Amino acid sequence: YASMSDIVRYDYSWKNPEETRERNKIALLRYIKSHNLVLAAGLYEDEYLKPAQAAEQLFVLITMFMAAIIYLSMFLFIRKLSKSLNTLTNYAELTARADGTVHRLAPTGFHELDQLSESLSVMENEILKRETNLVHELKEKDVLIQEVHHRVKNNLSVLISMISLQLQQVQSDETRDALTQLQGRITSMAMVYQQLFGANQYTHLPFDEYIQGMLSYYQSGYNGGYLDRKESLAPCEIELERAVPLGLIINELISNAYTHGIPLHRPAVLRISLDRDEQHTIFFMIQDNGPGFKADVIEKTGMLLVRALCAQLHAELLIESPLDSEGGCRITLRLPYKTT
């Protein structure tokens, strides 16, 4: 060891007399030249590592304990938060039912959620107040609208009655025909309001029912014998501002079919259809097997009215005649979806 200048580690096995087995031992040696002395220190390996192992076990236990505390705290927090959120969800469901009650939430323990629930209760109370006012105003407007439509219908009925009285006094066939046509046009407008009044709605008219009513009206006054009439009317609602002019158009076309579309030497046939496609375009068709529409004949007031109303509604009018060697006429009306 005379040349040793650093610490030297020496590992060996050793067994004390009182022990039953050998244990690994570590000896550290260093030579001190100035004193010609060797210093030695020894320690069993298991005793050397025991404090580190104990510290490691303690660290693991502390880590597991802290993890358990954190996990338990998070579990309790999430459970409390979930319960509070479920309470808010139930509150939203109660509010959605709109049963007219202002709901109050129990404190959740979260300041922000409690403030939110209080704000929701205040908002619900304000909404219920406004809803009550709106319902009251809506009822008043419904009564007023119903009264307006009722008065319009009654006034039109009075006009129809006055024309009927006048028809009983006129002698001229030309005047009688003019008054009869006028009566039919006013009747078509009166039927619009009658349909609205009967359906208890004042913005849209069930136009298929309106056409069925017009057919029944003209059929009841038809005295030309047997008429093979078939109609295919798809359910179709039209807003009021277009229903009145469109009703006048339909009235003129049906009136013309019953007046001029009846053949003299073969059974009368009348076909009517109403349909609507995916783009909400309305298609109306009326076809008869009468003498047909002559292009060189000057159009009278009825057809002039039809063309003027079609221009107003941006509707397309197609007249096909003759359909066969004996005549016949098919009129198709295409009404586009409402434009602004």
Side-chain angles (χ1 to χ4, degrees):
Y1 299 100
S3 61
M4 287 174 37
S5 58
D6 296 322
I7 297 174
V8 177
R9 173 175 171 169
Y10 178 65
D11 296 68
Y12 62 98
S13 298
W14 182 262
K15 183 175 80 68
N16 291 324
E18 69 276 6
E19 296 177 343
T20 59
R21 62 181 182 85
E22 292 183 349
R23 293 190 293 166
N24 292 331
K25 199 169 186 178
I26 302 173
L28 299 178
L29 307 174
R30 184 171 184 180
Y31 172 66
I32 302 177
K33 185 176 180 181
S34 60
H35 294 79
N36 194 26
L37 179 68
V38 176
L39 296 179
L43 183 68
Y44 286 106
E45 189 177 38
D46 54 356
E47 294 177 354
Y48 176 78
L49 298 176
K50 191 173 182 179
Q53 293 174 347
E56 181 181 2
Q57 293 176 356
L58 180 61
F59 176 77
V60 171
L61 289 175
I62 293 175
T63 302
M64 293 178 63
F65 180 72
M66 291 181 64
I69 293 177
I70 293 173
Y71 176 80
L72 181 61
S73 300
M74 290 182 62
F75 174 77
L76 295 176
F77 175 79
I78 292 174
R79 183 178 178 183
K80 184 177 180 181
L81 180 61
S82 177
K83 183 178 179 181
S84 301
L85 292 177
N86 287 334
T87 302
L88 289 175
T89 301
N90 294 333
Y91 174 84
E93 292 177 352
L94 290 173
T95 304
R97 294 175 187 172
D99 57 359
T101 304
V102 178
H103 303 90
R104 299 283 180 181
L105 296 181
T108 63
F110 293 96
H111 179 68
E112 291 78 6
L113 293 181
D114 290 339
Q115 283 188 327
L116 176 61
S117 64
E118 182 62 27
S119 299
L120 290 174
S121 297
V122 173
M123 181 176 65
E124 186 180 20
N125 185 41
E126 291 298 322
I127 290 174
L128 289 175
K129 288 181 180 179
R130 294 180 184 181
E131 181 184 9
T132 301
N133 294 333
L134 288 175
V135 169
H136 180 69
E137 293 178 4
L138 184 60
K139 288 182 179 179
E140 289 183 345
K141 290 180 179 179
D142 282 343
V143 171
L144 290 175
I145 293 174
Q146 185 176 5
E147 180 64 22
V148 168
H149 286 309
H150 184 66
R151 289 182 179 235
V152 171
K153 181 178 71 69
N154 288 344
N155 290 338
L156 292 175
S157 298
V158 170
L159 286 176
I160 294 171
S161 299
M162 292 173 63
I163 294 174
S164 297
L165 292 175
Q166 191 66 38
L167 280 171
Q168 297 176 7
Q169 300 176 9
V170 298
Q171 303 296 328
S172 170
D173 292 338
E174 185 177 353
T175 304
R176 182 182 299 274
D177 291 340
L179 289 176
T180 301
Q181 291 178 3
L182 178 60
Q183 186 181 45
R185 291 164 188 159
I186 297 176
T187 300
S188 70
M189 291 188 291
M191 289 183 65
V192 169
Y193 291 96
Q194 180 62 39
Q195 290 288 127
L196 293 171
F197 194 74
N200 197 26
Q201 61 176 355
Y202 311 109
T203 58
H204 289 76
L205 176 73
F207 210 70
D208 52 314
E209 298 178 10
Y210 171 81
I211 294 177
Q212 189 65 55
M214 291 298 301
L215 291 171
S216 300
Y217 170 77
Y218 281 101
Q219 186 71 35
S220 63
Y222 175 65
N223 297 318
Y226 175 75
L227 173 64
D228 179 14
R229 190 191 86 196
K230 291 183 180 179
E231 60 268 4
S232 174
L233 306 176
C236 179
E237 290 191 348
I238 299 179
E239 57 277 7
L240 179 59
E241 60 267 25
R242 296 202 300 172
V244 173
L246 184 58
L248 286 171
I249 293 174
I250 301 301
N251 168 73
E252 292 297 329
L253 297 180
I254 294 177
S255 174
N256 286 344
Y258 274 92
T259 304
H260 308 292
I262 306 300
L264 298 177
H265 306 294
R266 55 177 175 170
V269 176
L270 186 61
R271 300 288 181 265
I272 304 99
S273 67
L274 176 70
D275 201 4
R276 169 179 266 176
D277 63 12
E278 295 179 355
Q279 286 73 37
H280 303 287
T281 300
I282 299 171
F283 296 91
F284 173 79
M285 187 276 297
I286 183 167
Q287 177 179 330
D288 61 64
N289 65 337
F293 188 89
K294 297 180 180 180
D296 57 347
V297 176
I298 298 176
E299 293 183 350
K300 296 184 179 179
T301 306
M303 284 306 299
L304 294 176
L305 178 63
V306 168
R307 293 190 184 277
L309 292 174
C310 284
Q312 175 185 332
L313 295 173
H314 305 285
E316 297 177 6
L317 184 69
L318 176 62
I319 301 176
E320 300 173 88
S321 182
L323 300 178
D324 54 35
S325 59
E326 297 186 23
C329 180
R330 180 192 301 119
I331 299 179
T332 304
L333 180 70
R334 180 182 179 275
L335 182 67
Y337 183 68
K338 182 180 179 182
T339 57
T340 56

